[in-house]
Amino acid sequence: MGVVGGQSWTEAQKPARLKWLGEGTAPPKRALSPPSPAAPRSFGKVGCGFRQAWGGGRAVVSSALGGGAHQGKPVPAPGSPRPSSRPALPSCLPPGPQALMNIMQNWYSLFTPVEAATIVAVTGTTHATLSRLQLDAPRREELWACARTLALQCAMKDPQNCALPALTLCEKNHAAFEAAYQIVLDAAAGGLGHAHLFTVARYMEHRGLPLRAYKLATLALAQLSIAFNQDSHPAVNDVLWACSLSHSLGRHELSAIVPLIIRSIHCAPMLSDILRRWTLSAPGLGPLGARRAAKPLGADRAPLCQLLDAAVAAYIATSHSRLTHISPRHYGDFIEFLGQARETFLLAPDGHLQFAQFLENLKQTYKGKKKLMLLVRERFG
């Protein structure tokens, strides 16, 4: 049971309270973004639900600002028994900042976390809203504090959808931003997916916080697993970005991320691509202003030698896996794959010998595939 305007409302009457506060009124005439002419006219259940939530959320905020909410008697929820006598409409707070803060403080009875964080808190702190309320500096900061508290509560309830909006809303307040960042770290330990962690990590880099971006990227990599045949995995670009970030920070960060890459990625072409990117230039400046290395790192030296060994092992394992159920129409693709493998083998000092032994092993193991082995001899000798 909740209390609004000094009178009690039962759960059955909650829809009536939402209607009284403005839920269900038409959204503002000025649309946030006009629909695309090529977009289908039917948005489906998800699209309609979002539009209703957006329109309803804006309507509630608008009513708190004096936007003309419905002022009729509350109606019982559909399916509930009709009461013999309806309670009188309670006296509402006058439109203004106090009504808006009251909505923010009681968001959980009106909105889902994602609605409250992305609609109510944002709409209530826009320049247009603050100008309309004509608040002095202390009252404006009070409204901002209320919105930040709402955003942090939403992030704790639903970090997957609300962590990034909370960070964005709390950017100008150090304490609140630190609290939102800690929520993300706690959520990472509680199962926040690698895709969301990579998104927040990229945001941190954009904000000029590369070490925090690196920290979140390592947490994302720890949850990631890319199999030998997933060279088109959705997280490929995120992984390459994380590797580029670690390389730009310095040798210490690069050395720390190598074991995570080896543990999470088993795709040979991807490991080879990362290795080559890291050998193109010297590691960048570290967090303590360490001097840039004089020359690029060698693939056969620490810390990259471990990654080279992992890439070679991945090529060998993937080759055997592909040969188990290979058809003649895929022979050409496999020969090209062996060509990529040879380039990686040759990064090692004894790469020629290793690759020759690898090919000899294939010829002995799969000598029954005469046509394929003939193609191997023609290409590699």
Side-chain angles (χ1 to χ4, degrees):
M1 179 177 294
V3 178
V4 176
Q7 293 194 15
S8 299
W9 294 73
T10 63
E11 288 296 321
Q13 294 171 322
K14 185 178 292 185
R17 179 179 61 176
L18 298 183
K19 185 176 181 181
W20 169 64
L21 286 173
E23 181 73 21
T25 60
K29 292 183 179 179
R30 178 180 293 179
L32 292 180
S33 57
S36 172
R41 303 186 69 178
S42 175
F43 289 84
K45 294 182 178 180
V46 175
C48 292
F50 176 79
R51 288 188 298 174
Q52 292 172 358
W54 176 260
R58 291 293 299 270
V60 173
V61 176
S62 178
S63 69
L65 299 175
H70 293 290
Q71 296 293 334
K73 290 184 179 181
V75 181
S80 62
R82 184 178 296 274
S84 56
S85 61
R86 297 175 184 172
L89 183 66
S91 58
C92 181
L93 290 171
Q98 191 58 46
L100 181 56
M101 286 191 287
N102 186 55
I103 290 175
M104 290 184 180
Q105 292 166 356
N106 297 279
W107 67 268
Y108 45 82
S109 62
L110 300 171
F111 306 100
T112 64
V114 66
E115 291 169 353
T118 60
I119 300 176
V120 178
V122 174
T123 305
T125 53
T126 59
H127 178 73
T129 299
L130 297 176
S131 300
R132 181 177 179 180
L133 293 175
Q134 298 180 347
L135 302 176
D136 56 14
R139 290 286 286 170
R140 181 172 294 199
E141 177 55 32
E142 185 180 358
L143 183 60
W144 267 107
C146 191
R148 288 192 293 265
T149 300
L150 178 153
L152 292 175
Q153 292 173 347
C154 293
M156 294 183 67
K157 288 280 187 180
D158 186 4
Q160 179 172 322
N161 295 310
C162 301
L164 187 56
L167 284 166
T168 304
L169 193 69
C170 297
E171 284 179 354
K172 297 181 180 179
N173 185 278
H174 177 74
F177 189 81
E178 291 296 318
Y181 175 63
Q182 188 60 48
I183 290 174
V184 176
L185 295 180
D186 295 340
L192 187 61
H194 61 81
H196 294 90
L197 288 171
F198 276 127
T199 299
V200 179
R202 287 178 180 264
Y203 161 81
M204 287 293 181
E205 186 195 33
H206 178 72
R207 287 282 300 159
L209 300 169
L211 289 180
R212 293 194 174 188
Y214 173 81
K215 171 67 175 179
L216 293 171
T218 57
L219 293 175
L221 285 171
Q223 299 185 15
L224 185 62
S225 179
I226 298 181
F228 72 93
N229 59 349
Q230 291 184 306
D231 48 349
S232 59
H233 193 281
V236 167
N237 288 333
D238 287 327
V239 173
L240 294 178
W241 167 82
C243 293
S244 175
L245 175 65
S246 64
H247 185 269
S248 68
L249 288 175
R251 181 165 181 159
H252 175 75
E253 286 75 15
L254 189 147
S255 301
I257 207 173
V258 166
L260 287 174
I261 295 294
I262 295 174
R263 190 180 309 122
S264 303
I265 301 171
H266 309 283
C267 177
M270 193 172 175
L271 290 172
S272 178
D273 187 18
I274 294 171
L275 181 62
R276 291 185 178 279
R277 289 169 183 260
W278 278 345
T279 56
L280 290 177
S281 61
L285 294 175
L288 300 179
R291 192 174 180 180
R292 179 178 288 272
K295 59 181 180 179
L297 297 174
D300 58 332
R301 297 183 179 181
L304 299 188
C305 60
Q306 299 176 3
L307 185 60
L308 175 59
D309 292 342
V312 168
Y315 270 114
I316 294 174
T318 305
S319 297
H320 286 290
S321 178
R322 294 181 64 169
L323 285 172
T324 303
H325 303 287
I326 193 171
S327 62
R329 63 177 180 173
H330 293 140
Y331 284 175
D333 293 337
F334 183 74
I335 296 299
E336 294 301 321
F337 180 78
L338 287 182
Q340 298 174 10
R342 180 172 62 177
E343 294 178 0
T344 302
F345 272 79
L346 295 182
L347 294 175
D350 57 343
H352 287 280
L353 178 60
Q354 289 189 47
F355 188 70
Q357 292 175 344
F358 168 57
L359 288 183
E360 188 62 30
N361 179 265
L362 291 183
K363 294 173 185 177
Q364 293 296 326
T365 305
Y366 304 99
K367 57 185 178 181
K369 301 181 184 295
K370 297 181 180 180
K371 184 177 180 180
L372 177 58
M373 293 303 108
L374 178 62
L375 294 175
V376 171
R377 291 188 182 92
E378 291 178 352
R379 176 71 179 271
F380 305 105

